Amino acid sequence: MKQNRIIFHIDVNSAYLSWEAVYRLQNGASLDLRTIPSAVGGDPKSRHGIILAKSIPAKQYNIQTGETLHTALQKCPNLHIVSPSYGLYMQCSDAMMKLLEEYSPVIQRFSVDEVFLDYTDMEGHWGDPIAMAHKIKDRIKEELGFTVSIGISSNKLLAKMGSDLKKPDAVTTVFPEEIARKIWPLPVEDLFYVGRATLPKLNKMGIYTIGDLANYDYEHIKYRLKSHGALIWNYSHGQEASPVRGGKHVDIKGIGNSSTIAFDVEDRITACRILLALTETVAMRLRHTENVCGLVAISLRDSELRNYSHQRKLFSPTDCTKEIFEIVTELFDEAWKGEPLRNLGVRVSELSSNELQQKSLFDDVDQERNRALDHAIDQLRLRYGSKAIMKATFLNSGVKSMIGGVGADDYPMMASLL
Amino acid sequence: MRVVAKPIDVIAKFNKEGIPTPIKFKITGEDEAEVTIKVERVITRDLEKLAGNKMFVFRCQSVINGGEKIYELKYGLETCKWMLFKI
Ligand SMILES: [Mg+2]
C-alpha cells in the first residue's frame, strides 16, 4: 500500500431526518423538520416503534435514538414524528454516491449515510484535498439539499474520527501529526472497538482518554487485553491500513431480521407466513447490496424465552426470495419442536458479490424468471411502498407482508442495510 | 412568491430529448371553480436533484386576473406529476 494516502470520510448529518426534511420541502411542505423537535421512526399513528433519528431541537428534550416513541412523546409531547421511508434513503444515498464518483474511482459505501473516498493521486487532477472537500460538501448541500461532515486523513480510521469532530457542514483533517492534539483528549469510548465490555477494564487501568491509552505500555495492554488490546492501542496511535474498497463491496457479514410476535404462534402456517414476511425484507436488502448469500439461518424463541437456531450452507449462492424461503421452511420444519413461539428470525450470511452470479444466469430459465420477478417486485415496493404488492397468503392472515423493512416497527433497518 | 404546492392538470410539449415545456395548466381555485392559465413565457428551467429526487422547475410568467404574474411550476420525473409550486 502507498505510504501517503489521502482518505475522505463523508458522513451525512442526521441523515434520515435531513433526508425526510429535504424531500418534504421539495414537495411543498411549509415546515423544515430540521428546525423543530422532530424524529424519524415507527408509526406516528399507532405510536409504536422506536426513534431512528432526531432533529437537533429534539436533542434538547433528551430524545434518544433507539428509545420507544412512547417514551419520547412523554419527554416531548409535540415531538413531530414521521415514519421512515426506505426508498427515499436509498435514493439520497445513491445520489450522493453518484456525485462522489465524479471525484475518485475508489469509493466505498460504508453505510447508507457514510462513504469513504480515496483521494490518493487525485491531487494532480482536482487539486488540494481540503479545498476539494469543501467543494464536495458545498455541492452536496447545494444540489442535494442536505449537509455532510467530511474527515480527511491518511487512513480510514482517522478520516472517520475526523468527520465526527465537527458537525454539521464541516471539513476536518486528522493527519497523523494532529492525533495528539485532536484525538487524544477524547474519551476512550469514542475509539473504535472500545465497547461496553472493554471500557470498565480500561477505566480500572486508569485509562479514560484515548491519550491515556496511547501512552500506556503496549506490552502491558497486550498482556491484559490480548489481541484486542493490541488493536485498540494501535488505533489510539491512528494506525490502521485497510483499503477503501471500491465497487459495491459492503462491510457486512450478514443481513437479518427478527420479529417478536404479540401472541403465541402455535401453527406451522402462521409461523411460515411470518418467516416469509421476514424473508421478503431480508432478500430485498440483500439484492440491494448486490450480493448473494451462501448461508441461510433461522432463529426461534419459544414462549419460555428459550432460543435456538438452525442454519444451512447453500450449494450455490442466491439472492432470490423464493429460493431463500424454500430453505427457510426446510430449516423450520427440521428445527421446530411444536411448542408456542414468540420470536422468529431470518438471517443470510457468507455474502459475496452477485457479479459472477449474473453470468450463470442463463443456465437456468427458472432462475432467470425469478430474478426478473424479484427485480420487478423490488422496484414496485421502492416506488409505491411495501404494501404495493404482496403474496396472496398474507391476505386476511393478520400477518404483515413484509416485516422489518419499509416503515419497520421494531428494527432500525437501515442501520444494518449496508 | 409563496409556496402553494397545488397539483395541476397540464398540457405540455416534450422535445426529442424528453424535456417538457408547459403550455397551459388547469387549477382548482378556492371556490372550487377551475381556472385555465396559459403559460405565456418560460423564463428559466432547472433540474433540481434535492434528496436525489429529480424535478424540473420552471419559472414562468402569465397574465392572471389582468396582471403579470411570475410563478413556479414543478414536474417530478419519478411521479410524472405537475404542481404549481410557488406563486
Ligand atoms: Mg451520519
Side-chain angles (χ1 to χ4, degrees), chain A residues 20 130 222 273 316 334:
Chain A
E20 291 286 351
I130 298 168
K222 202 174 153 190
R273 276 198 190 111
S316 76
E334 289 166 17

Side-chain angles (χ1 to χ4, degrees), chain B residues 56-86:
Chain B
F56 277 119
V57 184
F58 302 90
R59 181 166 282 234
C60 312
Q61 185 183 314
S62 299
V63 175
I64 303 172
N65 296 332
E68 291 260 297
K69 274 265 187 190
I70 306 262
Y71 55 91
E72 261 180 35
L73 301 183
K74 273 193 179 187
Y75 175 70
L77 269 63
E78 185 72 15
T79 59
C80 301
K81 284 181 186 166
W82 288 85
M83 63 174 147
L84 172 63
F85 190 64
K86 279 185 194 172

Side-chain angles (χ1 to χ4, degrees), chain A residues 230-247:
Chain A
L231 177 83
I232 59 173
W233 189 88
N234 281 324
Y235 278 7
S236 73
H237 286 268
Q239 286 161 12
E240 188 272 336
S242 68
V244 174
R245 279 177 285 198

Side-chain angles (χ1 to χ4, degrees), chain A residues 22-23 25-28 88 91-92 95 143-145 383, chain B residues 3 5 48-55 74 78 83 85:
Chain A
V22 176
Y23 182 78
L25 288 173
Q26 188 194 27
N27 287 280
L88 172 65
Q91 178 181 292
C92 291
E143 290 176 29
L144 306 179
R383 200 148 160 191
Chain B
V3 175
E48 191 179 80
K49 291 185 211 160
L50 296 173
N53 187 38
K54 288 185 186 164
M55 289 183 119
K74 273 193 179 187
E78 185 72 15
M83 63 174 147
F85 190 64

Side-chain angles (χ1 to χ4, degrees), chain A residues 241-258:
Chain A
S242 68
V244 174
R245 279 177 285 198
K248 276 257 186 170
H249 183 94
V250 282
D251 274 346
I252 39 167
K253 293 206 174 71
I255 295 172
N257 258 328
S258 68

Side-chain angles (χ1 to χ4, degrees), chain A residues 60-108:
Chain A
Q60 284 155 14
Y61 291 86
N62 195 28
I63 306 294
Q64 304 287 327
T65 300
E67 74 182 341
T68 61
L69 296 198
H70 186 77
T71 326
L73 285 162
Q74 277 173 342
K75 291 180 186 169
C76 177
N78 343 321
L79 186 69
H80 188 103
I81 298 169
V82 299
S83 291
S85 23
Y86 167 77
L88 172 65
Y89 308 155
M90 277 326 298
Q91 178 181 292
C92 291
S93 181
D94 288 347
M96 184 169 83
M97 284 293 281
K98 205 165 168 217
L99 189 150
L100 294 172
E101 275 164 6
E102 293 178 29
Y103 295 96
S104 170
V106 188
I107 61 175
Q108 175 184 1

